[in-house]
Amino acid sequence: MRRLACTILAASLLLAGCWDRKEINDIALVMGTSVDKEGNQYKVTVQIAMPSQLGGAGSQGGGGGTSGTKAWHSLTATAETIRKANEIEQQALSRILYFSHRRTLLIGEDLAREGILDIMDVFSRIPQNRLTANVAITQGKSVDIMESEAPIERFPSEAIREQLNQYMKRNRVLKDLITSILQEGIDPAIPFFKTTSKEPGSAEAKGKENIRVGGLAVFKKEKLVGFLEGDDAQGALWAMDEARIPTVSITAPGSKKKIAVQFHQTESKLKPVIQQDGTILMQIRIKAIGSVVDNESRFTPVNMGTLETLVGKKIEGNVKNSLSILQKKYKADIIGFGRNIYMDDPTYWRQISANWDEMYPKVKTEVQTDIQIEHSGALIAPFQREEGNR
Amino acid sequence: MRNWFRTVRNQRKKKHNIPSQPKDITLEITDERIETELAHSKQVLQEIFRDCSDVVFREIMVNETTKGLLVFIDGIVNTDQIHENLMRPLLIHFSETFNESQPADLKERQISLAQVTSAKQYAQLVEGILTGSVALLVNGYDKALLFNVVGGTRRGVEEPATEATIRGPREGFTESLRTNTALLRYRLKSPRLKTIAYKIGEHTQTNVALAYIDGLADPRVIAEVRNRLERIKIDGILESSYIEELIEDDPFSIFPQVQNTERPDTVAAHLLEGRFAIFIDNTPFVLVGPVTAWLMLQASEDYYQDIYAGSFIRLLRLFFLGIALFMPALYVAVTTFHQDMIPTTLLLSIAAARESIPFPAIVEALIMEISFEALREAGVRLPKTVGQAVSILGALVIGQAAVQAGIVSAPMVIIVSVTGIASFTVPRYSFGIAIRLLRFPLMLLGATFGLYGIVIGTMCIVLHLAKLRSFGVPYLSGIAPFSWKAQKDLLIRSPWWRMITRPPLLYDRERKRMSTDLKPSPVKQEGETE
């Protein structure tokens, strides 16, 4: 009896092993994926790290990995589903595709405009997929961004990830995107990438395109409705409390030249006020602490009060402008007005949530800024001060 | 077929039933009494010591008419003492004052030696001679006198080789039991320090001494040790490990249940905490028990350094103990089963390093670990001059060439080196060996079942440790069973003025070891309020 028990125990322990064993040499690490729509099918591109080109000791490429050959390889397949495409890619690959380390996911504009909720399923269903992968939309085909040059990083996907990390305070990962699609009273907004023209200076990179974060891709529920670029995107970021080290430049008082202020600490708070006539007023309070980083004018920033007011006005204008685009043009609540009303007064929200879509463009907004400029950098007066009139 | 089995079984049984030939390994000396006739006694002794070239028979005349005989073993006696204190008085003064009716008188008056006993039987006499006494037989007397003049050359007191310290006494035990007990007695000048003597080993007649402090050690433990020591019947004891293996609670356990040390201060400290020590002649290693696993992570120096350093080093040892045990297993498991657990950039580095390696991770790990163990063994066993060459060769071949040749990956070399360093941080060598050995099954488990296997293996080890006892004291006591009081001196070391009580679970008749107000503080002035 005891022997039987031992046998069963040993068998259950020993027969369980090895089935999912795989050496590192046998897996293909997917660093990034891009998905586009082609007709009815998905065009999926996976970017795979090539360890032999990473310059490890003993490997053929050894010594720094700057040998000029790419450290990555990409495979593209078109199929009805993403997994099917992956399977086709797998057939062209000697190693097993391994998705656990995918850190960037690019979605093409065409696909995003049709809605992204369908493809979110596959990215959350398979345990190997990380929900902490960064997501971004691309203007145009996502493959072009995914296969662009990333001279500093080892993989383009890594460059994309790092750029995304810098763009917002809390970078948008898959999990956030899915949550904001499903949540009431907020629409998703994630950064988008676009290609810029030639990289300056580099002879090698001539004719090749560089990529950069273009701004925010604005969604209405799961569908892309448009893009916010430049100051419009920054205004939205200010309101979303996602502005990360923003720089604001204004025309200096009493001059035509510019002065730039960088904010290292920003904060914004939304407070909905339901007015007597039933309209909603959204009070946006922006607090920011920064310093003068650039002064081309002859203005001496000694008394910061004037400067603070001017910068505050500029930010206010930006935010108002962004809000009007969002409310009037895209009708997308990416800042989460609805969400704030719900948090403030859940019963009221329940009354209005059914026709929130109609109410949203009519929400009045009020922006208050509380700007504090701590110092003017290493200089107080600008260099040209003597020449000019005081 | 069945019959055949039965017959075989019966035959085996029969074999067992046959009483083994009583192999009398005792010296065949009867309890015969010593004859008055010297010539006869001499004959008997010469028969007993037949073909023993190191036994010296020296005939002397104790006076004009009476013959005497000195018997001793050359080399283990102090010849200077024999010449000065035995031969000279015997030959010069003795003959004048020899009182034929009172041979015992000799003991008291003539011979200036401290330890003199008389023997009536040959057995006693022979034993005395073998342990370094000079026997004096005088014609006409049925007694022999044994003068203890143990001497000969032995290694002096040196710094212990296995347990060096930066701060602390530099004395280490030697091969001489007496020297060792003396080293302990220097430290514990108390009549309550008891050293019970045993002679174990039919041929070696090894002196063994059980030391403990009366009133501090648990009498039940002492009784148990005495029992276990007394039941040992063996032909010889050459090292303390013989005794260790014969008195362990769980003889098959890989973990040592008795600690061995070369340091007198360590032994004294243990005795003060209520443990016992077993001194064995001819080895500098003294056994200490009962022990716990935590004791294996403590070194005497923890108490000599300041509390922060001592505590930090203890925690460091615990951490590195974990590394020594788990690091290669974890590396193998994580790189072959759970690649998703490695940070992406680290995984890329490992992948790049592993790219051209022809072996699976486990094979690579085994190659490295086994060659490391071989390197260590070679370094220990070889003469010092050659040992250096081995370590250089090993460092070059294993460390560099193997990586450059693409046989072993660089991360694996790092893992093995860290593991090697970690296994050296365990201050108790015997415990370190257990950890080193357990690493291999864990590696295999990690390679076949991943983290699941490591967890299973760890559970087995922990269960075994929890079950293990050393002289009745649970091996993990302090943590399991948990005791707040024990925490003062377990993983960290509290200052001395906080360790007011002795560690629990040993004996608690005299719990307090110091007064409670020892914490240094400024002297309070009269009238000063707190």
Side-chain angles (χ1 to χ4, degrees), chain B residues 142-195:
Chain B
D142 60 349
K143 279 188 209 160
L145 291 175
L146 288 166
F147 302 96
N148 192 345
V149 283
V150 178
T153 44
R154 305 228 72 165
R155 194 168 63 99
V157 175
E158 289 166 15
E159 188 168 0
T162 56
E163 293 163 85
T165 55
I166 292 170
R167 181 172 173 182
R170 304 226 182 275
E171 279 180 334
F173 286 126
T174 69
E175 278 77 6
S176 157
L177 179 91
R178 267 297 149 252
T179 315
N180 292 352
T181 53
L183 285 173
L184 181 63
R185 188 63 84 174
Y186 289 146
R187 286 168 176 80
L188 297 169
K189 298 180 190 72
S190 157
R192 281 166 65 184
L193 168 64
K194 307 296 182 198
T195 49

Side-chain angles (χ1 to χ4, degrees), chain A residues 12-25 27 29 31 49-52 54-60 95 98 100-103 128 130 154-155 158, chain B residues 331 334-345 347-362 403-404 406 410 445 447-449 452 456:
Chain A
S12 62
L13 282 178
L14 296 174
L15 293 177
C18 286
W19 65 272
D20 59 346
R21 197 183 83 94
K22 45 193 177 300
E23 292 289 334
I24 291 183
N25 304 15
I27 57 175
L29 293 168
M31 303 306 294
M50 290 210 294
S52 58
L54 288 173
S59 64
Q60 292 300 313
R95 298 183 182 190
Y98 196 72
S100 287
H101 287 276
R102 173 169 59 204
R103 299 208 281 188
Q128 233 184 34
R130 297 203 159 180
R154 292 189 285 194
F155 316 106
E158 188 71 8
Chain B
Y331 178 79
V334 167
T335 53
T336 50
F337 285 95
H338 317 283
Q339 289 93 350
D340 43 350
M341 290 179 71
I342 313 173
T344 306
T345 37
L347 179 66
L348 287 171
S349 302
I350 295 176
R354 270 199 61 81
E355 190 56 28
S356 60
I357 308 300
F359 304 114
I362 175 66
V403 172
Q404 280 184 350
L445 279 171
T448 43
F449 307 110
Y452 167 73
I456 295 280

Side-chain angles (χ1 to χ4, degrees), chain B residues 312-508:
Chain B
F312 169 72
I313 286 170
R314 269 193 196 172
L315 292 173
L316 190 82
R317 286 193 202 113
L318 189 72
F319 176 67
F320 273 86
L321 180 83
I323 284 183
L325 192 56
F326 294 118
M327 188 87 154
L330 278 178
Y331 178 79
V332 170
V334 167
T335 53
T336 50
F337 285 95
H338 317 283
Q339 289 93 350
D340 43 350
M341 290 179 71
I342 313 173
T344 306
T345 37
L346 178 61
L347 179 66
L348 287 171
S349 302
I350 295 176
R354 270 199 61 81
E355 190 56 28
S356 60
I357 308 300
F359 304 114
I362 175 66
V363 175
E364 204 189 350
L366 283 177
I367 291 175
M368 289 304 286
E369 286 291 345
I370 290 172
S371 40
F372 174 69
E373 290 295 327
L375 193 69
R376 168 151 57 186
E377 177 60 19
V380 171
R381 224 51 67 187
L382 281 174
K384 268 186 187 141
T385 40
V386 190
Q388 266 186 349
V390 167
S391 45
I392 292 168
L393 201 69
L396 276 178
V397 171
I398 295 181
Q400 215 183 340
V403 172
Q404 280 184 350
I407 293 168
V408 175
S409 64
M412 184 56 82
V413 174
I414 296 168
I415 297 285
V416 171
S417 318
V418 170
T419 312
I421 293 166
S423 68
F424 288 125
T425 57
V426 180
R428 301 289 155 212
Y429 192 68
S430 49
F431 195 72
I433 287 179
I435 299 297
R436 270 158 57 193
L437 291 179
L438 284 174
R439 197 159 73 207
F440 289 97
L442 278 177
M443 265 159 66
L444 292 175
L445 279 171
T448 43
F449 307 110
L451 288 181
Y452 167 73
I454 296 178
V455 170
I456 295 280
T458 313
M459 268 165 56
C460 289
I461 295 172
V462 170
L463 283 176
H464 173 69
L465 281 173
K467 192 196 72 164
L468 201 61
R469 271 155 195 277
S470 167
F471 296 92
V473 175
Y475 206 56
L476 293 178
S477 53
I479 300 290
F482 187 81
S483 148
W484 274 113
K485 280 194 175 139
Q487 304 305 314
K488 284 183 296 192
D489 188 18
L490 204 74
L491 301 178
I492 56 154
R493 178 179 88 75
S494 304
W496 274 112
W497 44 265
R498 288 281 300 279
M499 292 196 264
I500 292 159
T501 52
R502 290 176 212 289
L505 280 164
L506 292 165
Y507 185 49
D508 57 2

Side-chain angles (χ1 to χ4, degrees), chain A residues 117 120 124 131 173-183:
Chain A
L117 200 58
M120 286 301 126
S124 36
L131 287 181
V173 297
L174 211 54
K175 190 173 61 184
D176 303 326
L177 178 62
I178 295 170
T179 319
S180 58
I181 293 174
L182 298 178
Q183 223 168 27

